[in-house]
Amino acid sequence: MSELKALMIAPAPAVVDGPDIYLDTKFATGMTVQANFFPGQFDCLLRRFTGTIPFGTTRYDPETANFGLKVIEADAPITVADLAGYDIIQCSADDDRNLALEPLLRGTEARLAGTLEYTLATRLDINAAEQGRNWPRRLVRNLRLRLRHRKRLRFLAEMDSLQANGYPALGLCSHYDPGCLLYLDNRMTPRLFATKDDMAARRDHLLSDAPLRLMFSGRLEAMKGAQDLIPVAR
């Protein structure tokens, strides 16, 4: 039996600087963990990114990395050659550029696995929250989102297996894959959780009429709700 080969087509950025390739540190760490669990060859296909990766970078070293890497241009379409030889193709159904992948696999025995995070309702909420768009532009974008949603549903129906990132996505993905994997992206480790003593101290602080202490974690943009922090505190 030949070795299994899997390819992950990810939306993570890849910065090419001469012979060197730099990846988002969190992504590189996650790829290393996932490759350790896979019983075969595990590769990744990324698109070239020309901006600055905001949360730290890691130089990709093909000599020490446990996963392979191919970088294509940002606007380059994925081709049959990119997918050839793989038994499993994993990609994000949130990325519109992947919605035309299934025809490329017809006639092969490759299995297509997908992930989904944003439902149509979430996308419409994001459109409503984004700044700098007047109502006609929001209306046009809403229409485009609804039309694209039909393509996304067809893509989900073509998948051999699905992973739902969060409960809203699970409700949709379970319709197409009853065995859908639920993934909760909270990045929490045991040492980050408050202990019983921590919670008791916070309760005593609140009951003593001391100033309310709030912390916000996330990008400072409307879709993350940063603008609601002060009104909520009030």
Side-chain angles (χ1 to χ4, degrees):
M1 182 177 178
S2 60
E3 182 183 49
L4 279 174
K5 296 179 63 178
L7 176 69
M8 176 185 285
I9 303 171
V15 174
V16 180
D17 183 10
D20 296 325
I21 301 175
Y22 294 91
L23 306 177
D24 177 274
T25 298
K26 290 188 294 184
F27 172 76
T29 301
M31 283 295 297
T32 299
V33 172
Q34 186 152 332
N36 282 336
F37 279 105
F38 188 74
Q41 179 181 333
F42 196 82
D43 296 337
C44 183
L45 178 67
L46 301 179
R47 288 183 167 86
R48 184 168 183 162
F49 183 68
T50 57
T52 300
I53 299 175
F55 301 117
T57 59
T58 296
R59 178 181 170 272
Y60 174 76
D61 185 354
E63 298 297 325
T64 59
N66 63 347
F67 61 93
L69 175 64
K70 179 179 180 180
V71 179
I72 62 176
E73 293 301 320
D75 56 351
I78 295 173
T79 66
V80 172
D82 293 324
L83 309 179
Y86 288 100
D87 303 291
I88 302 171
I89 309 294
Q90 181 179 351
C91 68
S92 169
D94 290 302
D95 191 335
D96 295 340
R97 297 171 295 186
N98 294 332
L99 298 183
L101 281 184
E102 194 274 338
L104 301 180
L105 296 175
R106 291 175 187 169
T108 74
E109 296 184 358
R111 295 293 182 262
L112 189 58
T115 64
L116 183 75
E117 179 177 4
Y118 292 161
T119 63
L120 176 60
T122 301
R123 293 177 184 276
L124 294 176
D125 286 343
I126 292 172
N127 184 43
E130 286 184 347
Q131 305 294 314
R133 278 202 184 103
N134 54 31
W135 72 264
R137 293 180 63 190
R138 291 180 193 275
L139 186 62
V140 170
R141 180 163 175 77
N142 272 1
L143 178 60
R144 288 176 177 170
L145 288 172
R146 293 179 185 278
L147 292 175
R148 203 169 297 140
H149 182 62
R150 295 182 181 180
K151 293 183 180 180
R152 206 176 314 279
L153 293 181
R154 289 195 293 269
F155 188 53
L156 293 176
E158 293 162 350
M159 293 284 185
D160 294 291
S161 65
L162 289 168
Q163 171 184 296
N165 293 1
Y167 287 102
L170 179 65
L172 177 59
C173 291
S174 295
H175 177 73
Y176 299 98
D177 178 11
C180 176
L181 173 67
L182 171 64
Y183 171 68
L184 300 177
D185 182 13
N186 58 22
R187 298 188 178 94
M188 293 294 289
T189 58
R191 67 184 185 86
L192 294 177
F193 284 96
T195 65
K196 290 184 178 180
D197 290 340
D198 293 332
M199 296 303 292
R202 293 174 185 177
R203 179 197 60 207
D204 293 341
H205 178 83
L206 289 172
L207 295 178
S208 67
D209 289 329
L212 185 65
R213 298 176 298 190
L214 297 177
M215 183 179 75
F216 174 82
S217 176
R219 300 193 300 275
L220 295 177
E221 58 184 59
M223 71 171 285
K224 294 295 184 180
Q227 72 280 3
D228 298 325
L229 190 61
I230 292 178
V232 167
R234 286 175 177 163

